[in-house]
Amino acid sequence: MTTLKDLKGQLMRDPEFRREYERADEEFTLIEALIRARTAANLTQTELAERLGTSQSAVARMEGGGVSPSVATLRRYAKATGTRLKIEFVPVES
């Protein structure tokens, strides 16, 4: 029986699959960072939305990956959660 780890290893050899997997992983990393910042600040989506001057549903869409926030929005999100936005480029592992 093939394990999930083995299956992932096999699929990652396909360049197209690898690109899509890495793209999705980057999105999930951003979503996780947004949610962690909000929860660390002890804010609900509604409270954060009030600080951002938007609706709770807009925050939910951002945290759910339904929209791609601009850098300006990410800066406002960081300020509202008492954090600092840091964007970095890292070398691609081969």
Side-chain angles (χ1 to χ4, degrees):
M1 175 177 251
T2 302
T3 66
L4 184 56
K5 182 179 177 180
D6 291 338
L7 177 60
K8 179 182 172 187
Q10 291 171 11
L11 292 170
M12 291 295 275
R13 288 187 213 125
D14 176 352
E16 185 176 341
F17 177 87
R18 183 181 204 91
R19 275 191 304 276
E20 287 301 311
Y21 181 88
E22 290 170 352
R23 183 192 59 75
D25 188 47
E26 291 165 357
E27 286 182 34
F28 290 131
T29 299
L30 174 59
I31 291 167
E32 182 179 4
L34 292 172
I35 295 169
R36 282 183 191 268
R38 178 177 56 78
T39 57
N42 288 320
L43 295 171
T44 65
Q45 287 183 342
T46 301
E47 292 166 334
L48 179 62
E50 289 173 7
R51 290 184 182 193
L52 294 173
T54 191
S55 66
Q56 177 275 329
S57 61
V59 172
R61 282 192 302 276
M62 193 177 348
E63 291 182 356
V67 295
S68 295
S70 67
V71 173
T73 298
L74 292 174
R75 282 189 188 118
R76 288 184 20 245
Y77 194 105
K79 183 177 179 182
T81 58
T83 59
R84 180 177 66 87
L85 177 62
K86 177 182 175 184
I87 300 172
E88 65 181 321
F89 292 90
V90 296
V92 175
E93 297 175 16
S94 45

